[in-house]
Amino acid sequence: MTMHTATAQANPNIAFIKYWGNRDNDLRLPSNGSISMNLDGLFTRTTVSFQSSLPFDELIINGHEVPGKGLKRVSYILDLVREMSDVKVNAEVMSENNFPAGAGIASSAAAFAALALASSRAAGLTLSEAQCSRLARLGSGSASRSIPSGFVEWKMGAGDDDSVAVSIAPPEHWDLTDCVAIVSAAHKKTGSTEGHAIAATSPLQNARLEDTPRRLGICRNAILNKDFETFAHIIELDSDIMHSVMLTSNPPLMYWQAATVGIFHQVRSWRADGLPCAYTVDAGANVHVICLGGHAKELEKRLREIPGVSNVLVAGVGGAAKIVS
Ligand code: DP6
């Protein structure tokens, strides 16, 4: 008897040029391309096991059974895998994160990347990196970027098949570190999926989209040339532009806390004084401060001294999603 089981592991990623808004919400076809780096050392590990005896799909995250919406989103990916393969039975999905839930690291990217890889392999499919990135994208847009290695670009693409992420440089290309300053462990009120759906209500979204090819080009080249000063300016600009859209959406989304803005000021003054660091923020209050690797210890120490910062997670550049058993 063949065992329809596989385990995969994937890192979360931090976006430097952000994904915000879809041209097709069901297919998660983004309104713009995006660029990110995978976060080494943080991961989700997921085992998918198709079993004929199961009456339903089952989802267990960090030892707890998850019903409802979370399960539905996972079953949607399992259904696609069942359509593509000869395996038609239900599955048990067991997932563990090695980073604290609600620590401000988006877990959906790592989760759906690991799920796409584990479930396709468990069903006996050997998907190309592009096909796997597409499958992950259908679960969570940013998950498409956690499939390839290192520094990654998710191309808008013309449609479902080619809206996928590719590696633009391997992890060893550039020694960057992400020091994530945790300012709020509270669960955010509005998730990304709802946020994407209202992005177009902001009068600023069109201007943001029109300018995105320019920012993508600057960011891609800054990474390829390891030009930290240019990189710092473009990632801060891109984060600020996305949050401007969020703040001016209907209803408005304000993810920043007072401490978030306090860190922006600190980061800019540290950079002006010679510490190579720059900030970027996803759909939450925590600040990802990216620095040249050699300065991570000093940066971490300074962030920990800021009132309102409860913890700092430190991650280098991570590799591709992979099968681990
Ligand atoms: C602000 O990928 O979490 O982190 O596709 O609805 O799961 P869904 O959205 P998600 O959106 C990420 C938004 C972001 C920016 C980014 O990672 O590019």
Side-chain angles (χ1 to χ4, degrees), residues 13-22 25 28 32-36 73 106-109 112 136-145 154 188 191-197 208 238 242-243 246 255 281-284:
N13 66 74
I14 177 64
F16 298 143
I17 301 296
K18 310 289 189 184
Y19 151 50
W20 197 246
N22 288 315
N25 282 318
R28 290 189 155 80
N32 63 273
S34 53
I35 292 178
S36 60
R73 213 164 148 179
S107 52
S108 74
F112 282 98
R137 186 200 82 228
L138 290 164
S140 176
S142 55
S144 66
R145 297 189 310 243
W154 172 14
K188 60 190 182 203
S192 303
T193 305
E194 298 148 82
H196 292 298
R208 174 182 169 274
D238 191 83
M242 179 184 70
H243 284 272
M246 292 164 159
Y255 288 108
V281 179
D282 279 345

Side-chain angles (χ1 to χ4, degrees), residues 59-167:
L59 173 63
I60 298 150
I61 301 178
N62 294 330
H64 300 283
E65 181 147 5
V66 178
K69 260 166 82 184
L71 174 62
K72 258 186 96 177
R73 213 164 148 179
V74 164
S75 283
Y76 173 65
I77 298 302
L78 296 172
D79 286 342
L80 293 169
V81 167
R82 283 184 281 249
E83 270 170 40
M84 288 188 279
S85 73
D86 297 332
V87 173
K88 305 295 174 194
V89 298
N90 291 313
E92 180 191 75
V93 176
M94 292 239 274
S95 197
E96 310 263 348
N97 295 319
N98 78 337
F99 49 95
I105 304 281
S107 52
S108 74
F112 282 98
L115 177 68
L117 184 55
S119 59
S120 56
R121 190 61 65 90
L125 299 167
T126 306
L127 301 185
S128 66
E129 185 180 271
Q131 289 170 320
C132 200
S133 175
R134 169 206 171 245
L135 185 60
R137 186 200 82 228
L138 290 164
S140 176
S142 55
S144 66
R145 297 189 310 243
S146 281
I147 297 292
S149 182
F151 298 88
V152 172
E153 180 164 357
W154 172 14
K155 308 273 186 187
M156 275 179 76
D160 181 29
D161 291 337
D162 66 346
S163 183
V164 300
V166 295
S167 180

Side-chain angles (χ1 to χ4, degrees), residues 240-282:
D240 291 347
I241 292 180
M242 179 184 70
H243 284 272
S244 301
V245 167
M246 292 164 159
L247 287 163
T248 52
S249 294
N250 184 15
L253 300 175
M254 192 186 291
Y255 288 108
W256 295 348
Q257 298 288 330
T260 310
V261 180
I263 296 167
F264 296 168
H265 289 290
Q266 288 291 349
V267 165
R268 289 210 170 145
S269 95
W270 295 337
R271 186 160 80 249
D273 292 343
L275 181 70
C277 61
Y279 67 78
T280 184
V281 179
D282 279 345

